[in-house]
Amino acid sequence: MNRKEGKTEMIKSITHSFSAQRKLGTFFYHALMIVVSFLMLYPVLWLVASSFKPNGDIFSTATSLFPENFTLEHYINGWKGFGGYTFTTFFSNSLLVALLSAVGMMASSALVAFGLARIKFKGRNIWFVLMVVTMMLPGQVMMIPRFVLFNSMGWVGTYLPMIVPSFFASGFNIFLIMQFIRGIPRDMDEAAKIDGCSWYGVFFRIIVPMIVPSLVTVAVLTFMSSWEDFMGALLYLNKPETYTVAYALKMFNDSSMSDYGATFAMSAASLVPILVLFFFQKNLVEGISIQGLKG
């Protein structure tokens, strides 16, 4: 009994030692992640904090994240915009472009991904390779050819150059959705065909409900990309009433160089839609995917 009790105590001691080391390692890991996260978020926190400070305190108290004299004046003044247009117009423009781009990218990428992943046709491998090659092209390479094309079509000065390309899919999003589709058993396709479904029926009744998480991911990524697209607005928009938020912030900064507080306030306000998507994306994906599987 003494030997058994001694072995038991030794095992307990070793287990307790490993448990203590694991807890200590976990503590240091989380502490390191908190420090790194704070350093990465500090510029954003400073921006938000500065938007609530009077102009005289922004740089005199630059090391403090807590406003000594709290004010909402910058948000009121900044929202008035410039050129006779408020930021309500610019936010509405960005919302229109981002939503239409997200819908177009989601629908077109899903259709192309389904065709490449499920339907056998002549030259499918060649088209897949060409799609992958497009992922290697930097956006700067296509900038001038696109502008020349859209200018010849008379689209410069409208939102069409910023929205229409989204309805022709993109290599990354196609590849992303294809991985989801390949994870779905082909037996479900065959069963649907036996029941009389065409390829369109298979796509809309079988595939789409099961790839909702990937569709939402594509929509969110496209929305974020369109919302913060400055270069597209710079190239194609030439009237103040059509400016998006990203471009309007640049023009607003030029028109009010001394009003840093208002610039910071509008910059902080432009982050709200992205933060909303960030905090609710997980719940949105889980909720919609559960509903899709129930259907």
Side-chain angles (χ1 to χ4, degrees):
M1 292 293 295
N2 292 334
R3 287 185 177 181
K4 291 183 178 180
E5 290 179 356
K7 289 182 178 180
T8 303
E9 291 297 327
M10 184 180 296
I11 293 173
K12 288 183 178 179
S13 177
I14 294 173
T15 303
H16 179 74
S17 177
F18 278 124
S19 177
Q21 291 179 1
R22 184 179 300 174
K23 290 181 179 179
L24 186 62
T26 302
F27 170 78
F28 281 113
Y29 172 78
H30 284 90
L32 178 62
M33 290 299 100
I34 291 174
V35 172
V36 173
S37 300
F38 177 77
L39 292 176
M40 294 180 65
L41 290 174
Y42 183 81
V44 178
L45 297 176
W46 187 88
L47 171 71
V48 175
S50 298
S51 68
F52 294 108
K53 297 178 181 180
N55 280 327
D57 294 349
I58 291 178
F59 296 106
S60 62
T61 60
T63 57
S64 175
L65 290 179
F66 301 98
E68 296 180 0
N69 302 305
F70 187 88
T71 178
L72 292 175
E73 182 181 1
H74 299 315
Y75 285 88
I76 298 174
N77 294 335
W79 200 264
K80 296 177 182 178
F82 61 93
Y85 298 95
T86 66
F87 266 86
T88 302
T89 300
F90 307 137
F91 271 82
S92 299
N93 296 339
S94 287
L95 191 62
L96 173 66
V97 173
L99 286 176
L100 290 179
S101 298
V103 171
M105 185 62 71
M106 181 175 58
S108 58
S109 297
L111 282 170
V112 176
F114 174 71
L116 291 174
R118 280 295 200 259
I119 302 175
K120 294 182 179 180
F121 56 91
K122 188 176 181 180
R124 182 178 67 168
N125 293 333
I126 296 176
W127 285 111
F128 178 77
V129 171
L130 291 175
M131 182 270 294
V132 173
V133 169
T134 62
M135 297 171 59
M136 305 177 187
L137 292 175
Q140 293 81 357
V141 173
M142 303 299 297
M143 193 178 299
I144 295 177
R146 278 189 173 185
F147 180 83
V148 173
L149 173 64
F150 294 141
N151 187 50
S152 65
M153 298 173 67
W155 287 6
V156 174
T158 69
Y159 299 127
L160 293 177
M162 304 172 65
I163 297 175
V164 172
S166 299
F167 284 82
F168 291 90
S170 72
F172 173 79
N173 294 319
I174 293 171
F175 188 80
L176 175 66
I177 298 176
M178 282 182 66
Q179 304 314 305
F180 276 78
I181 295 177
R182 286 174 174 172
I184 301 173
R186 288 182 176 270
D187 295 342
M188 301 184 70
D189 299 4
E190 300 299 329
K193 287 183 179 180
I194 292 174
D195 290 338
C197 283
S198 62
W199 279 118
Y200 292 103
V202 172
F203 175 71
F204 287 107
R205 297 185 181 184
I206 304 298
I207 301 298
V208 170
M210 301 189 71
I211 63 170
V212 167
S214 66
L215 296 180
V216 175
T217 301
V218 168
V220 169
L221 292 176
T222 304
F223 183 94
M224 294 173 63
S225 176
S226 298
W227 183 268
E228 60 188 21
D229 182 18
F230 170 78
M231 188 57 64
L234 176 65
L235 288 174
Y236 303 117
L237 303 181
N238 48 28
K239 299 178 182 177
E241 63 268 24
T242 62
Y243 289 170
T244 57
V245 170
Y247 190 42
L249 284 172
K250 172 63 172 60
M251 302 303 294
F252 179 74
N253 186 43
D254 291 344
S255 64
S256 57
M257 287 296 293
S258 59
D259 196 352
Y260 294 104
T263 302
F264 293 157
M266 292 302 96
S267 299
S270 69
L271 298 176
V272 172
I274 304 300
L275 292 176
V276 170
L277 287 177
F278 176 79
F279 286 116
F280 291 98
Q281 180 182 0
K282 181 178 179 181
N283 295 330
L284 180 63
V285 171
E286 290 180 353
I288 297 179
S289 61
I290 291 174
Q291 293 298 324
L293 292 175
K294 286 182 178 179

